[in-house]
Amino acid sequence: MNFASDNVHGVHPKVLKALSDCNDGAMGSYGADPVTARAEAAYRELLDAPDAVIRFVATGTGANALVCAQLSPSYGRIYCHDSAHIHRDECAAPEFYSHGAKLVPLAGENGKFTPDTLAEAIRFGAAGSLNDGQNAMVSITNATEWGTCYAPDEVAALAGIAHDAGLKLHMDGARFANAVAGLGCDAADLTLRAGVDALCFGGTKNGALAAEAVVFFDPADAKGFDYRRKQAGQVYSKQRYLTAQMLALAEDGLWLDLARHANAMASRLGQGIEQAGGTLVVPVQANEVFARIPAAAHDRARAHGAAYHLWQDRPPAAGEPVTVRLVTSWATHEDDVGRLIDLLRGA
Amino acid sequence: MNFASDNVHGVHPKVLKALSDCNDGAMGSYGADPVTARAEAAYRELLDAPDAVIRFVATGTGANALVCAQLSPSYGRIYCHDSAHIHRDECAAPEFYSHGAKLVPLAGENGKFTPDTLAEAIRFGAAGSLNDGQNAMVSITNATEWGTCYAPDEVAALAGIAHDAGLKLHMDGARFANAVAGLGCDAADLTLRAGVDALCFGGTKNGALAAEAVVFFDPADAKGFDYRRKQAGQVYSKQRYLTAQMLALAEDGLWLDLARHANAMASRLGQGIEQAGGTLVVPVQANEVFARIPAAAHDRARAHGAAYHLWQDRPPAAGEPVTVRLVTSWATHEDDVGRLIDLLRGA
Amino acid sequence: MNFASDNVHGVHPKVLKALSDCNDGAMGSYGADPVTARAEAAYRELLDAPDAVIRFVATGTGANALVCAQLSPSYGRIYCHDSAHIHRDECAAPEFYSHGAKLVPLAGENGKFTPDTLAEAIRFGAAGSLNDGQNAMVSITNATEWGTCYAPDEVAALAGIAHDAGLKLHMDGARFANAVAGLGCDAADLTLRAGVDALCFGGTKNGALAAEAVVFFDPADAKGFDYRRKQAGQVYSKQRYLTAQMLALAEDGLWLDLARHANAMASRLGQGIEQAGGTLVVPVQANEVFARIPAAAHDRARAHGAAYHLWQDRPPAAGEPVTVRLVTSWATHEDDVGRLIDLLRGA
Amino acid sequence: MNFASDNVHGVHPKVLKALSDCNDGAMGSYGADPVTARAEAAYRELLDAPDAVIRFVATGTGANALVCAQLSPSYGRIYCHDSAHIHRDECAAPEFYSHGAKLVPLAGENGKFTPDTLAEAIRFGAAGSLNDGQNAMVSITNATEWGTCYAPDEVAALAGIAHDAGLKLHMDGARFANAVAGLGCDAADLTLRAGVDALCFGGTKNGALAAEAVVFFDPADAKGFDYRRKQAGQVYSKQRYLTAQMLALAEDGLWLDLARHANAMASRLGQGIEQAGGTLVVPVQANEVFARIPAAAHDRARAHGAAYHLWQDRPPAAGEPVTVRLVTSWATHEDDVGRLIDLLRGA
């Protein structure tokens, strides 16, 4: 009953098998191998982006930080939601990789900011003096850190505002598969066709061992990126094993199947919590549930070994309801979901 | 017949199996898992260094660059051999991670510099003005980029000079196992007992998928290192899979067995080349052979698909002997070695 | 009638004279000159800090950013007020110099945050995971960006909280002289004795051409700083001219006389604005006035050439009162103050 | 009798006067002042470069490092002479500002490298893998660190090679005036017309207090530079005083008159040294003399207070001739030159 994060679970058997399958014989290193070529092609096809430059790295922080450094100068302003992983949870990796770019946090409900909020922030930045730095990039997370999703038209609206002002749009897709699954849309509609310039397409949280794809839809945006990645120590010598993971996810829609399962588990958990007297703090649109649950329910769940995070600034007072985050994944078993719901209900 | 590098070969079956073996169930992320704890303990034992801080990263460039940033300020001078991987082959990752540290290349035969050379360079750096930067660190590669080894007493001599002048000693051990195997010494004799402060203990070139251990023998030198690693995007969320690789290598001396095999293959190849009329450019002490071979031998080998690198600044003139680098690994088959020797001999 | 900033005014005649006075003959470069030695001694005495390390740089941004880089690692958290110059107005220089340190803005009235606010923020940072970065430093501006002052006991309270949690306390003293003048306290009471670790003692806004002193009260905190300053391109070769400016300000209390004049002008301006029907937005405690004035008064002042900044996020609607910032300096003439007041009053 | 450096001397009276002359009244800060506008125009005219972007900074290290960061990515290779100030004497400021660019030192007599040397180095860099970084920029110093000069046709030859391979050409002109004076050429012939992309036009060593002009001949190369300069803490708030220095040097050819004097003094000193039994190590073409002088002559000069630097790696053995560097400047008095010659001759 571990709902602490989607990264506490293991690797999908097909991904593990892909590692064995590519293990025979010598192959060119640093990406000069046939597995990598196939994986790049697979993602170009998946995203209906025949011109896109696709590269693979091992960590989401590495992926996001590299894109920030690629699309923003050191004196750039990067707009993101106040809860954005790049702002809150990457130990200032974007600032380190970009050598100082300023992350400008924006407010907004349910982990999303509105076009108006973005437009005003960009206007403020553009009107500023040298002292404010230069508008460079907008970053959205999809699915967001609050388990909600930007729909294609919402992405397009933000992209329009960004592009009109000369900024690039980045999508942190650590849970991109969950967003596509939750929205029931096409991956290309949510990215290239909506105006996204760079996408970090997450694999790790969705059944891979450690793999993310970095996608630049316009090759011009990828200029020099291979050197940047190498300098960052993010190029594998035996790269086939990195890309084989992503290739396995791409094949036969495995990535989407796994995300659908994770989302279904979250949906069911959300409903169960409401039936157990809890309240959803934000709508469940992907694979995360944020809920306020009675203290007694929380105590029962914890006592029986359920793992999840409290999601509030201060420790709860005795007897007070608690706000929690529950994350499901490809590996979440429906029995565990059922058992947790039973515990919360006191059944 | 691929002798291009030790990283063109695959992953040892025991390492692959270790990935499967740790795949069940949920585990804490970012290193809070039992596999990581066991792996750290295994390397402390292997190095007879009960106090050492051990951390795992995925790439050698990442490992080396993180150590440079940890042990040198941005204005530091880092002394290394002119052929050092950190100076020649990491796309300036040490400079990037450290934000500007100056790599000062030292000359020396067979990929090694002498205590005298180091002492004079440090003296020169210490006598300098602010303009020269501050002496910070010495880095040696063992086995070296030329396939030779620093013996424990040689390491100790360099460590003594470094420490007397207040510098730290780093060992880039991308081929550390090959050095230990080649020298027939104890791992601790070559590191902690010889005065090494930080070691990058390579796994990738020795049968792992992508894994290196970073070792700080004095915990004080590791202060803040976990944050640094996180900020660099070098922390895996599902870290068990990174550390499981290194644990598999540590168990039952697998790391040493694999290195011994690689070294034996190189030794045999070196002898064969000499018998075929070639000349060794440097002594074969680990798993690399640098040799000058007749043009005809080279043409035959290439024509039959042998892969290896030319190792000279300019393209060879027609008919001229060529200097080549041949690298063996845990996966090099003795039949391939025999076949290449036959080709070179024209048999 | 220029109240746009204290840096629109020129250089005090005594400072200019000091440049001429030190112009004869050859002197050692990069600070090896007698003027620099005297200036360092003068500031140690002024601050009653015989052990302090004093260095001079040309710009306030350079001074602050160097201190941030000196006292925070790249993965550090630096707490400051939301309006802090280092956060809002230095084009991310602290992030650039420190290679990524995260500035964490704190709320608080009148440009100041309270001990409680700081304590809670530090507690939150300390409780965090690797992802949050490491608590490193607290920075306060005194006088603040809103023209208010932290009194010695207020500084001491913040220092206590910072030190208890292992953080350093930095004071951005671009208008330090105005704070000392406004508080009527001793410079040492406001710094060393209150627990400040590093002070940027501003000269430029107070009659110098371009000069700031960086003060580390504990020499251990200055380790390697001279190299850092050199690497940042902040070391003058003809340093006597930089330090002569600061020496001139230190002599005979010129720095304090100039600040007292500036403060007196601001005080008078504030009173005049209230008499003219305006409202002070924050109390006038140094050399800045933030006020809300009637639209007609604003129009009259502008029409007659008064220069000052609007201080509101949006352009004012027609007829609506406007919020403005007025800054006085050593060079502000009381006639100009009187004239502006007359204009505002419609006299 | 101080020949230690050109920066041990003071400020030319006309430069000092310019500071006083611009001291009246309020002016816009951060460069929004009429002095800066005039100075920028003066240098565009001086360099016959009506489109050039001109910016002023206070230190040569700052100027050079900013240009390196502007024209090279963090993973770039910057080719320069092995004796280049940016490589040897700036405490790795270019690496710091550019976040890791690799300075690749080239050999060559008298402080200059040849087109062939450059072409081969660039070819080697271009042929390399990701590991080598990306060719970005060539930097030459003119006059060189050995007091010699690249003539316009020599610069053009290097520019041609650089541009053909897609690299930019930077000229470190800390002693640019001395080069123009020594060559007797036009400033534009040595820069824009010879293909230089960016010039650091030195003022400090030539009579200014602390001022250098950064020139981008193609405005496209200056994109974002103002933000970069601000982020580096290299923007003066009271910028009129920085630019007034450079304006004073530009007016009536003062910059060239001062350099001619310095060069004449060096020339005379060189001749005197030869007459005194010394040997010139390199030809005297600007304002520096590198010579090998008898031990007795050296002892006499030092005993009488002559200041200059030994220019050899090791301390001289007793009685052995010594190699020295002697630098002249605008302020070097011919009596001092005569006196030193007399001392060396034993007169």
Side-chain angles (χ1 to χ4, degrees):
Chain A
M1 281 197 302
N2 195 320
F3 300 90
S5 178
D6 23 20
N7 59 30
V8 300
H9 294 126
V11 176
H12 191 273
K14 287 189 181 172
V15 173
L16 265 190
K17 183 169 178 300
L19 298 181
S20 303
D21 289 350
C22 73
N23 196 38
D24 277 341
M27 289 188 190
S29 40
Y30 301 117
D33 65 80
V35 184
T36 296
R38 283 172 55 205
E40 292 182 1
Y43 280 86
R44 281 194 292 265
E45 191 182 332
L46 192 162
L47 294 161
D48 195 16
D51 297 328
V53 171
I54 315 274
R55 292 294 182 269
F56 302 100
V57 298
T59 66
T61 295
N64 286 329
L66 280 168
V67 170
C68 289
Q70 183 74 9
L71 299 184
S72 171
S74 63
Y75 44 81
R77 291 167 76 86
I78 300 177
Y79 298 93
C80 62
H81 192 272
D82 183 62
S83 65
H85 202 263
I86 61 169
H87 181 52
R88 292 276 173 202
D89 293 304
E90 298 187 346
C91 198
E95 289 90 338
F96 171 75
Y97 270 68
S98 69
H99 321 294
K102 193 81 178 181
L103 273 63
V104 183
L106 305 180
E109 290 194 355
N110 298 340
K112 299 161 61 177
F113 51 80
T114 66
D116 282 353
T117 298
L118 178 62
E120 179 168 335
I122 287 179
R123 209 155 38 223
F124 183 85
S129 67
L130 280 187
N131 297 3
D132 293 310
Q134 189 178 44
N135 281 336
M137 180 178 140
V138 177
S139 176
I140 57 175
T141 313
N142 209 14
T144 74
E145 287 77 7
W146 287 94
T148 55
C149 298
Y150 287 100
D153 62 330
E154 293 176 302
V155 176
L158 297 173
I161 290 164
H163 293 166
D164 285 351
L167 292 85
K168 300 284 183 182
L169 180 62
H170 163 244
M171 184 179 285
D172 172 358
R175 296 188 180 100
F176 178 71
N178 303 100
V180 172
L183 294 161
C185 69
D186 188 88
D189 287 337
L190 196 56
T191 53
L192 175 58
R193 290 181 206 130
V196 170
D197 296 294
L199 168 69
C200 295
F201 189 123
T204 311
K205 287 178 158 63
N206 196 32
L209 188 157
E212 315 279 314
V214 177
V215 182
F216 293 103
F217 290 100
D218 179 349
D221 287 335
K223 191 177 167 231
F225 184 74
D226 286 335
Y227 291 102
R228 188 182 298 282
R229 187 167 54 114
K230 173 67 195 173
Q231 188 173 33
Q234 298 277 359
V235 171
Y236 274 46
S237 56
K238 298 178 174 177
Q239 194 173 305
R240 55 173 130 165
Y241 301 98
L242 178 58
T243 52
Q245 301 173 50
M246 292 304 287
L247 184 55
L249 287 177
E251 282 174 349
D252 302 324
L254 179 60
W255 67 284
L256 201 48
D257 291 343
L258 299 183
R260 281 179 183 139
H261 172 80
N263 287 12
M265 292 300 100
S267 178
R268 187 163 159 185
L269 190 53
Q271 290 161 13
I273 286 173
E274 287 190 307
Q275 290 158 4
T279 317
L280 297 181
V281 173
V282 297
V284 177
Q285 298 176 350
N287 66 320
E288 296 187 276
V289 179
F290 293 86
R292 198 159 166 77
I293 58 175
H298 172 58
D299 293 341
R300 273 193 306 273
R302 280 282 168 94
H304 287 79
Y308 51 81
H309 285 292
L310 283 193
W311 216 251
Q312 52 191 42
D313 286 349
R314 302 170 157 287
E320 198 182 37
V322 295
T323 304
V324 301
R325 185 189 78 161
L326 301 143
V327 189
T328 57
S329 89
W330 71 272
T332 301
H333 201 286
E334 55 183 354
D335 291 351
D336 277 350
V337 173
R339 209 173 134 218
L340 177 58
I341 293 174
D342 287 347
L343 282 168
L344 295 173
R345 297 165 81 176
Chain B
M1 282 198 301
N2 194 320
F3 299 90
S5 179
D6 23 18
N7 59 31
V8 301
H9 293 127
V11 177
H12 191 273
K14 287 188 181 172
V15 173
L16 265 189
K17 183 170 179 299
L19 298 180
S20 304
D21 288 351
C22 73
N23 196 39
D24 278 341
M27 289 188 190
S29 41
Y30 303 117
D33 64 81
V35 184
T36 295
R38 283 172 55 206
E40 292 182 2
Y43 280 85
R44 281 195 292 266
E45 190 182 334
L46 192 162
L47 293 161
D48 196 16
D51 297 328
V53 171
I54 316 273
R55 292 294 182 269
F56 302 101
V57 298
T59 67
T61 294
N64 286 329
L66 281 168
V67 170
C68 288
Q70 183 73 9
L71 299 184
S72 171
S74 63
Y75 45 81
R77 291 167 75 86
I78 300 176
Y79 298 93
C80 62
H81 193 271
D82 182 63
S83 65
H85 202 263
I86 60 169
H87 181 51
R88 293 276 172 200
D89 293 303
E90 297 186 347
C91 199
E95 289 92 337
F96 171 76
Y97 271 68
S98 69
H99 321 294
K102 192 83 179 180
L103 273 63
V104 183
L106 304 180
E109 291 195 353
N110 298 340
K112 298 161 64 178
F113 52 81
T114 66
D116 282 353
T117 298
L118 177 62
E120 180 168 333
I122 287 179
R123 209 155 37 224
F124 183 86
S129 66
L130 280 188
N131 297 3
D132 292 309
Q134 188 178 47
N135 281 335
M137 180 179 141
V138 177
S139 176
I140 57 176
T141 313
N142 210 14
T144 73
E145 286 78 8
W146 287 94
T148 55
C149 299
Y150 288 99
D153 62 329
E154 293 176 302
V155 176
L158 297 173
I161 290 164
H163 293 166
D164 285 350
L167 293 85
K168 300 285 183 182
L169 180 62
H170 163 243
M171 184 179 284
D172 172 358
R175 296 186 181 102
F176 178 71
N178 304 100
V180 172
L183 293 161
C185 69
D186 189 87
D189 287 337
L190 196 56
T191 53
L192 174 58
R193 291 182 205 130
V196 170
D197 297 293
L199 168 69
C200 295
F201 189 123
T204 311
K205 287 179 158 63
N206 197 30
L209 188 157
E212 315 279 313
V214 177
V215 182
F216 293 101
F217 291 99
D218 180 348
D221 287 336
K223 192 178 166 228
F225 184 75
D226 286 335
Y227 291 103
R228 187 182 299 281
R229 188 167 53 114
K230 173 67 195 172
Q231 188 175 32
Q234 299 277 358
V235 171
Y236 274 46
S237 54
K238 298 179 174 176
Q239 194 174 303
R240 54 174 130 165
Y241 301 97
L242 178 59
T243 52
Q245 302 173 49
M246 292 304 287
L247 184 56
L249 288 176
E251 281 175 349
D252 302 324
L254 178 61
W255 67 285
L256 201 48
D257 291 343
L258 298 183
R260 281 179 183 140
H261 172 79
N263 286 12
M265 292 299 99
S267 178
R268 187 162 158 184
L269 190 53
Q271 290 162 13
I273 284 173
E274 287 190 308
Q275 289 159 4
T279 317
L280 297 181
V281 173
V282 297
V284 178
Q285 298 176 349
N287 67 321
E288 296 188 278
V289 179
F290 293 84
R292 196 159 166 77
I293 59 174
H298 172 57
D299 293 342
R300 273 194 306 275
R302 280 283 168 94
H304 286 79
Y308 51 83
H309 286 293
L310 282 193
W311 216 252
Q312 51 191 42
D313 286 348
R314 303 169 157 288
E320 201 182 32
V322 296
T323 305
V324 301
R325 185 189 77 162
L326 301 144
V327 189
T328 57
S329 89
W330 72 272
T332 301
H333 201 285
E334 56 182 353
D335 291 351
D336 278 349
V337 173
R339 211 173 133 218
L340 177 59
I341 294 174
D342 286 347
L343 282 168
L344 294 174
R345 298 165 81 177
Chain C
M1 283 197 301
N2 195 320
F3 300 89
S5 179
D6 24 19
N7 59 31
V8 301
H9 294 126
V11 177
H12 191 273
K14 287 188 182 173
V15 173
L16 265 190
K17 182 168 181 302
L19 298 181
S20 303
D21 288 351
C22 72
N23 196 38
D24 277 341
M27 289 188 190
S29 41
Y30 302 116
D33 64 80
V35 184
T36 295
R38 283 172 55 207
E40 292 183 1
Y43 280 86
R44 281 193 294 264
E45 191 182 333
L46 191 161
L47 293 160
D48 195 16
D51 297 329
V53 171
I54 315 274
R55 292 294 182 271
F56 302 100
V57 298
T59 67
T61 295
N64 286 330
L66 281 167
V67 169
C68 288
Q70 183 73 8
L71 298 185
S72 170
S74 63
Y75 44 81
R77 292 166 75 86
I78 300 177
Y79 298 93
C80 61
H81 193 272
D82 183 62
S83 65
H85 202 263
I86 61 169
H87 181 51
R88 292 276 172 201
D89 293 304
E90 298 188 346
C91 199
E95 289 91 336
F96 171 75
Y97 270 67
S98 69
H99 321 293
K102 193 83 179 180
L103 272 64
V104 183
L106 306 180
E109 291 194 355
N110 298 341
K112 298 162 63 177
F113 52 81
T114 66
D116 281 354
T117 298
L118 178 62
E120 179 168 335
I122 287 179
R123 209 156 37 224
F124 183 85
S129 67
L130 280 188
N131 297 3
D132 293 310
Q134 189 177 43
N135 282 336
M137 181 178 140
V138 177
S139 177
I140 56 176
T141 313
N142 209 13
T144 73
E145 287 77 7
W146 287 94
T148 54
C149 299
Y150 287 99
D153 62 330
E154 292 176 303
V155 175
L158 297 173
I161 290 164
H163 294 166
D164 285 351
L167 292 84
K168 299 285 183 181
L169 180 62
H170 162 244
M171 184 180 283
D172 173 358
R175 296 187 180 101
F176 179 70
N178 303 100
V180 173
L183 293 161
C185 70
D186 189 87
D189 287 337
L190 196 56
T191 53
L192 175 58
R193 291 183 206 130
V196 170
D197 297 294
L199 167 70
C200 296
F201 189 124
T204 311
K205 286 178 158 63
N206 197 31
L209 186 158
E212 315 279 314
V214 177
V215 182
F216 293 102
F217 291 99
D218 180 348
D221 287 335
K223 192 177 167 231
F225 184 74
D226 286 335
Y227 291 102
R228 188 182 298 282
R229 188 167 53 115
K230 174 67 195 173
Q231 188 173 32
Q234 299 278 357
V235 172
Y236 274 46
S237 56
K238 299 179 174 177
Q239 195 173 305
R240 54 174 130 165
Y241 302 98
L242 178 58
T243 51
Q245 301 172 50
M246 292 304 288
L247 184 55
L249 288 176
E251 282 174 349
D252 301 324
L254 179 61
W255 66 286
L256 202 48
D257 291 343
L258 298 183
R260 282 180 183 138
H261 171 80
N263 287 12
M265 292 299 100
S267 178
R268 186 163 159 183
L269 190 53
Q271 290 161 13
I273 284 172
E274 289 189 307
Q275 289 160 3
T279 318
L280 297 182
V281 173
V282 298
V284 177
Q285 298 176 350
N287 66 321
E288 297 188 276
V289 178
F290 294 85
R292 198 160 165 77
I293 58 175
H298 171 58
D299 293 341
R300 272 194 307 276
R302 281 282 168 94
H304 287 78
Y308 51 80
H309 285 293
L310 283 191
W311 216 253
Q312 51 190 43
D313 286 349
R314 302 168 157 289
E320 198 183 34
V322 296
T323 304
V324 301
R325 186 189 76 162
L326 301 144
V327 189
T328 57
S329 89
W330 71 273
T332 301
H333 201 286
E334 54 183 355
D335 291 351
D336 278 350
V337 173
R339 210 171 133 220
L340 177 59
I341 294 174
D342 286 346
L343 281 168
L344 294 173
R345 298 165 82 176
Chain D
M1 283 198 301
N2 195 320
F3 300 89
S5 178
D6 24 19
N7 60 30
V8 300
H9 294 127
V11 177
H12 190 272
K14 287 189 180 171
V15 173
L16 265 190
K17 182 169 179 300
L19 298 181
S20 303
D21 288 351
C22 73
N23 197 38
D24 277 342
M27 289 189 191
S29 40
Y30 303 117
D33 64 80
V35 184
T36 295
R38 283 172 55 206
E40 292 182 1
Y43 279 86
R44 280 194 293 265
E45 190 182 334
L46 191 162
L47 293 161
D48 195 16
D51 297 329
V53 170
I54 315 274
R55 292 292 182 270
F56 302 101
V57 298
T59 68
T61 294
N64 285 329
L66 280 168
V67 170
C68 289
Q70 182 74 7
L71 299 184
S72 170
S74 63
Y75 45 79
R77 292 167 75 86
I78 300 177
Y79 298 93
C80 62
H81 193 271
D82 182 61
S83 65
H85 202 262
I86 61 169
H87 181 51
R88 292 277 172 199
D89 294 303
E90 298 186 346
C91 199
E95 289 91 337
F96 171 75
Y97 270 68
S98 69
H99 322 295
K102 193 82 179 181
L103 273 64
V104 182
L106 305 180
E109 291 195 353
N110 298 341
K112 298 162 62 177
F113 52 80
T114 66
D116 282 354
T117 298
L118 178 61
E120 180 167 334
I122 286 179
R123 209 156 38 224
F124 183 85
S129 66
L130 280 188
N131 298 2
D132 293 309
Q134 189 178 45
N135 282 336
M137 180 179 140
V138 177
S139 177
I140 56 175
T141 313
N142 210 13
T144 73
E145 286 77 7
W146 287 94
T148 54
C149 299
Y150 287 99
D153 61 329
E154 293 177 302
V155 175
L158 297 173
I161 290 164
H163 293 166
D164 285 351
L167 292 85
K168 300 283 183 183
L169 180 62
H170 162 245
M171 184 179 284
D172 173 358
R175 296 187 180 100
F176 179 71
N178 303 100
V180 173
L183 293 161
C185 68
D186 189 87
D189 287 337
L190 196 56
T191 52
L192 175 58
R193 291 183 206 129
V196 170
D197 296 294
L199 168 69
C200 295
F201 190 123
T204 312
K205 287 178 157 64
N206 196 31
L209 187 157
E212 316 278 315
V214 177
V215 182
F216 293 101
F217 291 100
D218 180 349
D221 287 336
K223 191 178 168 231
F225 184 75
D226 286 334
Y227 291 103
R228 188 182 298 282
R229 188 166 54 113
K230 174 67 195 172
Q231 188 174 31
Q234 298 278 358
V235 171
Y236 274 46
S237 56
K238 298 179 174 176
Q239 194 173 303
R240 54 174 130 164
Y241 302 98
L242 177 58
T243 52
Q245 301 173 49
M246 292 305 287
L247 184 55
L249 287 176
E251 281 174 349
D252 303 323
L254 178 62
W255 66 286
L256 201 48
D257 291 343
L258 298 183
R260 281 180 184 137
H261 172 80
N263 287 12
M265 292 299 100
S267 177
R268 187 164 158 183
L269 190 54
Q271 290 161 13
I273 285 173
E274 288 188 308
Q275 289 160 4
T279 317
L280 297 182
V281 173
V282 297
V284 177
Q285 298 176 350
N287 67 321
E288 296 188 279
V289 179
F290 293 86
R292 198 160 165 77
I293 58 174
H298 172 59
D299 292 341
R300 272 194 307 276
R302 281 282 168 94
H304 287 79
Y308 51 81
H309 285 293
L310 283 192
W311 215 252
Q312 51 191 41
D313 286 350
R314 302 168 157 290
E320 200 182 32
V322 296
T323 304
V324 300
R325 185 188 79 161
L326 302 144
V327 189
T328 56
S329 89
W330 72 272
T332 301
H333 201 286
E334 55 182 354
D335 291 351
D336 278 350
V337 172
R339 209 171 135 221
L340 177 59
I341 294 173
D342 287 346
L343 282 168
L344 294 173
R345 296 165 83 177

